[in-house]
Amino acid sequence: MAGNRRPGRGCMGREEDALLASFGGREMTYSFGDLDAVVPAYATTIQKSQGSEYLAAVVSLAMQHYTMLARNLFYTAVTYRKRLVVIVGQRRALAIAIRNTRTNRRWTRLKEWLGR
């Protein structure tokens, strides 16, 4: 098999008329006729997705990420999706994100830099 064999990484190799894909130690074999069933999926952060539109998004809200539970981030997560938003997580985390309107002050010194 050719490919990257580091744990947690996907690797692919050709064995006769099949494709062997390994993701995190779980191996799947696909015949080349079945490859249309394999669809790539991607994950990104809310910040990196700003300014882009996606057909669908899955938003994960958990109390473990308490500092990220803010209305402005939640708004960004759901408004740039064209068709579907799936919210997965805890109801309490969703309630906190909706109610939290506080934003942290940014110490960018942008005003001073623009004044130069």
Side-chain angles (χ1 to χ4, degrees):
M1 174 177 340
N4 183 349
R5 296 296 287 169
R6 289 182 287 169
R9 299 286 208 181
C11 62
M12 296 183 289
R14 183 181 172 142
E15 294 180 0
E16 299 186 20
D17 289 327
L19 176 73
L20 176 65
S22 175
F23 299 97
R26 182 173 175 215
E27 293 188 352
M28 300 288 293
T29 303
Y30 298 94
S31 69
F32 284 107
D34 291 334
L35 288 180
D36 60 342
V38 178
V39 178
Y42 305 94
T44 188
T45 64
I46 294 170
Q47 291 88 350
K48 286 184 181 180
S49 71
Q50 284 182 318
S52 300
E53 286 190 343
Y54 296 93
L55 291 177
V58 177
V59 179
S60 173
L61 295 174
M63 293 302 298
Q64 289 86 343
H65 306 118
Y66 184 80
T67 59
M68 300 296 291
L69 298 176
R71 182 185 293 182
N72 61 335
L73 285 176
F74 181 68
Y75 176 84
T76 300
V78 299
T79 55
Y80 291 103
R81 311 314 153 224
K82 289 184 178 182
R83 293 191 184 161
L84 175 69
V85 174
V86 177
I87 301 169
V88 179
Q90 300 162 314
R91 288 179 189 220
R92 182 174 177 213
L94 175 61
I96 290 170
I98 291 171
R99 283 193 297 258
N100 183 4
T101 59
R102 290 176 292 147
T103 57
N104 293 333
R105 180 171 176 153
R106 294 185 178 197
W107 299 97
T108 64
R109 302 186 71 198
L110 180 62
K111 187 175 180 179
E112 290 85 9
W113 292 339
L114 291 175
R116 290 184 184 173

